[in-house]
Amino acid sequence: MSDAMMPSQQLWTGDYYNEGTGRSDIFDTLKEECGVFGVFGHPEAASLSYYGLHALQHRGEESAGICVTDGEQFNYHRGMGLVKEVFDRDKLSSLPGNRSIGHVRYSTSGDSRLTNAQPLIFKYRDGDLAVATNGNIVNAPQIRRELEQAGSIFQTTSDTEVIAHLIARSSKEFVEAAKDALRQLVGGFAFLLMTNNKLIVASDPHGLRPLTMGRLGDAYLFSSETCAFEVVGAEIIRDILPGELLVLDENGMREDRYAEPQRKALCAMEYIYFSRPDSELNGANLHRARKQMGQVLAQESFVDADVVTGVPDSSISAAIGYAEQTGIPYELGLIKNKYTGRTFIQPSQELREQGVKMKLSAVRGVVEGKRVVMIDDSIVRGTTSRRIVNLLREAGATEVHVRITSPPFKNPCFYGIDTPDRAELIASSKSVEEIRQEINADSLQFLTPDGLIRAVGGFNQGDFKGGLCMACFDNDYPTQTDFDGEEKFGCTC
Ligand code: SF4
């Protein structure tokens, strides 16, 4: 039967679904913005970058790029789409060199178009410069305005370009110019900056965005997450420290800093949701950290029930922890549909309401006639939670108790996470009881900020707030967020 002849009620029953892009996603989940991967000193730099970026694909699906140097010249390729769509064997073999920086991008700052795909490549008076970043420069619009008034012409709409202009305008040599430029930036960012003879790796003074170092033989690798090291057989060395700057060149690696470290404030949502469960942050495995969140959540908000289930994939670890703590069996009450390909069909609002069924299914044989505890990582607008609760009810659950492994998400992020405006965040205006009614749950509880610190901060002993940024929960942003009366949230990369 052709699509045209297919009865409309069958439209969404196939084994594909619209994964959506950005704000029009059928899920109102938060979006990670970017992932970076760098190599210094390996003859297969491009291939390593390919595998590394593939492991970081969950951090950005809109574009991918790799820039390689052999010490003489840059070779690079960037494209729109997934890493496996952008690169093939021929493209990788056209990228010879032993140093590289790579990037996967999901962005709302700047357009979704090829000129904004990273690494961004520039020619300046000292040669070639490539830039890859993860995060957001809060004062980028202000710096950009000042640079444009002083005569700079920007090639992209990406705010990341400001660092290239700041470096190019400096009269100092590259490393000192980069330090001066980084000192002018306010926000949460992890940078890889590459010339034909140097690689610079830098983290913001609060360490808001994750960035780690690994080793493979004599080569140094850098990645937003350690899962990318595992894939290429590299060893994890350590996280890049707040305000730290590493310089790699023919003399090896030099550990330096461009700014004094401020209070450590690694994004709490990396622990809760973004990073892969096989990654490590601050030496802690993410699956283990999420299990602890589930255990603490159970201590804080026990409810008598028959089964515990987690919204796949990010909440399964926490659901196992909740089940272990309470003795209520963990069951696969929700499964994610296997096929994760993308189509470009945008569902209408009416079909969007049904769209969740294409991504998730409730398992009737598990939940029918049962009181279910449903664990999820966050509630953003509330629409997705309501749909999932209703899926469980339609499959026969007699009660649905929702437990969330984060505190209520009330404030937008200024440090690289795509969040809706404050007015669209359901917890910014509604009480827990009002949200419970909205999502049609029998009960609703969130992990407390103290509980989150207890579950995660134990890995960061002694740091204020467990070394976490929790601004989207408590409105306590680690940096200034408005410049010239303008607040810039979202992502720079
Ligand atoms: S505001 Fe929230 S999402 Fe943004 S960096 Fe801080 S903890 Fe992460």
Side-chain angles (χ1 to χ4, degrees), residues 474-490:
D474 63 11
N475 205 27
D476 177 18
Y477 294 93
T479 71
Q480 185 182 347
T481 57
D482 65 322
F483 291 85
D484 291 349
E486 185 181 350
E487 285 193 321
K488 171 161 188 327
F489 58 87

Side-chain angles (χ1 to χ4, degrees), residues 208-209 266-270 274 409 412-415 417 469-473 477:
L208 277 147
R209 300 260 61 92
L266 177 60
C267 172
M269 289 305 293
E270 292 284 351
F274 294 125
F409 201 106
C413 178
F414 291 88
Y415 307 122
I417 303 305
C469 170
M470 303 212 296
C472 45
F473 315 128
Y477 294 93

Side-chain angles (χ1 to χ4, degrees), residues 408-422:
F409 201 106
K410 296 180 177 176
N411 311 292
C413 178
F414 291 88
Y415 307 122
I417 303 305
D418 175 23
T419 47
D421 296 338
R422 189 176 264 114

Side-chain angles (χ1 to χ4, degrees), residues 75-221:
N75 287 292
Y76 63 92
H77 179 70
R78 298 171 298 197
M80 303 303 291
L82 303 174
V83 176
K84 68 179 182 190
E85 295 164 350
V86 172
F87 292 97
D88 57 23
R89 195 186 299 266
D90 289 346
K91 299 246 170 52
L92 288 173
S93 59
S94 71
L95 300 173
N98 63 356
R99 303 151 195 194
S100 66
I101 63 174
H103 192 262
V104 286
R105 179 173 191 260
Y106 166 84
S107 181
T108 55
S109 164
D111 302 335
S112 175
R113 59 181 180 174
L114 191 53
T115 49
N116 287 337
Q118 294 191 27
L120 298 178
I121 315 285
F122 305 93
K123 278 216 174 293
Y124 78 118
R125 63 162 199 285
D126 288 344
D128 297 320
L129 172 64
V131 182
T133 186
N134 169 215
N136 188 43
I137 303 165
V138 186
N139 61 340
Q142 184 199 32
I143 297 175
R144 187 179 176 123
R145 260 196 311 276
E146 289 167 6
L147 287 168
E148 284 176 335
Q149 280 161 9
S152 290
I153 298 171
F154 280 72
Q155 298 173 21
T156 71
T157 56
S158 166
D159 289 334
T160 303
E161 198 181 335
V162 298
I163 192 163
H165 286 263
L166 290 172
I167 291 170
R169 294 175 70 88
S170 170
S171 56
K172 297 180 181 169
E173 60 79 34
F174 175 57
V175 174
E176 287 308 312
K179 284 184 183 176
D180 282 351
L182 287 163
R183 280 186 207 110
Q184 295 181 55
L185 308 183
V186 176
F189 46 80
F191 268 110
L192 299 179
L193 305 166
M194 188 173 76
T195 64
N196 276 311
N197 52 29
K198 281 192 169 49
L199 175 65
I200 286 183
V201 179
S203 178
D204 72 78
H206 296 276
L208 277 147
R209 300 260 61 92
L211 186 59
T212 61
M213 172 166 51
R215 285 226 65 170
L216 181 63
D218 292 334
Y220 287 96
L221 307 185

